[in-house]
Amino acid sequence: MTDGFARRRLLGTLSASVPAQCVYALAKLGVPDLLAAGPRTVTDLAAAAGADPQALRRMLRALSSMSLFRQTAPDTYALTSAAELLRADVPGSLRQAAIMHGEAVYRSFAEIMHTVHTGEPAFEKVHGQPFYDYLAAHPAIAEVFAEAMGSEPVAGLLAEVDLSGVRTLVDVGGGNGGLLAEVLTAHPGMRGVLLELPDSIRAARPRLTKAGVLDRVELLEGNFFDDIPAGGDVYVLARVLHNWTDGHAETI
């Protein structure tokens, strides 16, 4: 006999991209921001977001069944704590991460068989160039990527490290400076160096300014394969190595 639980579990895995793409669509439309002040009807949301009411209704109903949104009255929806993270104006927002995964990442995984057969990144097959070259050629997408990476909290391991005697911390490939902003705020006597590509450096300046630490940060445009700034007491690689092959990771 067929194991019903196993079947449901596998079907859930096979269809996981459907709710993920619904989350992406709602984030892209700005629906969570439209719900920030409280529940609204689907008709109202569709008009404000420029969406088809029936399509929007189906997505919200589906995601409500997964507790990602909440139905408060007939045809009326509100945010849950998870959906709050899709707003653009909340600390730790995952809106840009949802957009990044729903666009560039999703399209790349559609060509996963290319990677399985060749060992080469499917991204290059889909987009015609390596990931970071693609970001350099598409500033708007590079900004989404930098914000998505910068929304992650400081790694728990770093929070456990005693940094009391550190004068200069160098964040190698540190995105838009989110990690440096938190660490320097917690250590007023520390200075920071951010080594990143030009688009990320541009995104970091307002982030660090808002945190009140820009005057203690040296912003360096560069590629960590070419050169690493000297003089740091601590060097940090956070969410960097997973982007590369084992050989490149060893070089870094």
Side-chain angles (χ1 to χ4, degrees), residues 23-34 82-103 144 147-148 151:
V23 170
Y24 151 68
L26 295 184
K28 184 80 171 183
L29 289 169
V31 169
D33 295 296
L34 294 173
E84 285 277 357
L85 292 171
L86 294 171
R87 289 172 50 189
D89 61 347
V90 298
S93 170
L94 291 174
R95 180 176 186 268
Q96 298 292 43
I99 292 173
M100 180 182 72
H101 281 276
E103 294 179 351
V144 169
E147 290 187 21
S151 68

Side-chain angles (χ1 to χ4, degrees), residues 118-130:
T118 68
E120 299 296 327
F123 188 95
E124 296 181 24
K125 182 178 187 295
V126 174
H127 298 282
Q129 57 190 148

Side-chain angles (χ1 to χ4, degrees), residues 3 6 12 16 24-25 34 39 57 68 78 80 85 108 114 124 133 140 149 191 200 209 216 219 221 228 252:
D3 185 332
Y24 151 68
L34 294 173
R57 179 176 295 109
L68 293 176
T80 62
L85 292 171
S108 297
H114 172 77
E124 296 181 24
D133 291 346
M149 294 297 98
R191 300 189 62 82
S200 292
T209 298
R216 291 191 279 134
L219 300 173
E221 293 185 7
I228 299 294
I252 296 170

Side-chain angles (χ1 to χ4, degrees), residues 32-45:
D33 295 296
L34 294 173
L35 288 171
R40 295 175 72 168
T41 66
V42 171
T43 301
D44 187 19
L45 288 171

Side-chain angles (χ1 to χ4, degrees), residues 173-199:
N176 67 355
L179 183 149
L180 272 181
E182 287 198 39
V183 173
L184 294 185
T185 298
H187 298 84
M190 187 187 298
R191 300 189 62 82
V193 178
L194 176 64
L195 176 67
E196 255 296 359
L197 299 175
D199 288 312

Side-chain angles (χ1 to χ4, degrees), residues 69-81:
F69 285 81
R70 181 167 52 92
Q71 186 171 3
T72 59
D75 220 33
T76 303
Y77 291 88
L79 297 174
T80 62
S81 57

